[in-house]
Amino acid sequence: MQLLATGVATPRDIDLAWKVGRNIPYGPCQAIDRVGIRTLYNIYLAHYANTGLEADEKALALLERLEKAGELGQETGMGLYEYRDGETIDREWNL
């Protein structure tokens, strides 16, 4: 989440690096959308309370924005990716 929230990489970049580097079929952004943004948001609340890092604050703000917009992942058709007609579509990220 820090990489995305600070503009270092897109979800597609993050997932590709993870899949190639670990030789697994899906990346962390895909997993987050499957589990749901709300779940990660609640985890990040506790994480940020422990770290206080600026990058974690930005990640938490992004998750909060997604949650408040109802963009909760695959269940709503929009999360770190967009889901339409059985396809996973990259989103525009202007942070």
Side-chain angles (χ1 to χ4, degrees):
M1 286 309 303
Q2 289 177 350
L3 294 173
L4 176 59
T6 57
V8 172
T10 67
R12 178 78 54 203
D13 296 333
I14 295 163
D15 285 343
L16 180 61
W18 191 268
K19 290 188 291 189
V20 171
R22 300 217 179 234
N23 194 29
I24 59 173
Y26 60 90
C29 295
Q30 293 165 314
I32 289 166
D33 273 354
R34 286 181 183 144
V35 170
I37 298 295
R38 184 172 289 131
T39 299
L40 188 63
Y41 173 72
N42 288 319
I43 291 167
Y44 239 93
L45 280 172
H47 177 71
Y48 175 65
N50 287 323
T51 68
L53 296 173
E54 182 181 349
D56 286 333
E57 182 179 22
K58 288 180 179 184
L60 182 60
L62 174 59
L63 290 167
E64 183 174 29
R65 188 179 92 206
L66 291 169
E67 186 196 27
K68 286 185 178 186
E71 298 173 353
L72 304 176
Q74 285 184 340
E75 69 178 291
T76 62
M78 185 72 78
L80 300 179
Y81 292 97
E82 182 177 348
Y83 302 90
R84 193 173 347 128
D85 299 325
E87 291 188 44
T88 302
I89 303 163
D90 292 334
R91 291 183 62 173
E92 291 286 324
W93 291 98
N94 299 316
L95 301 171

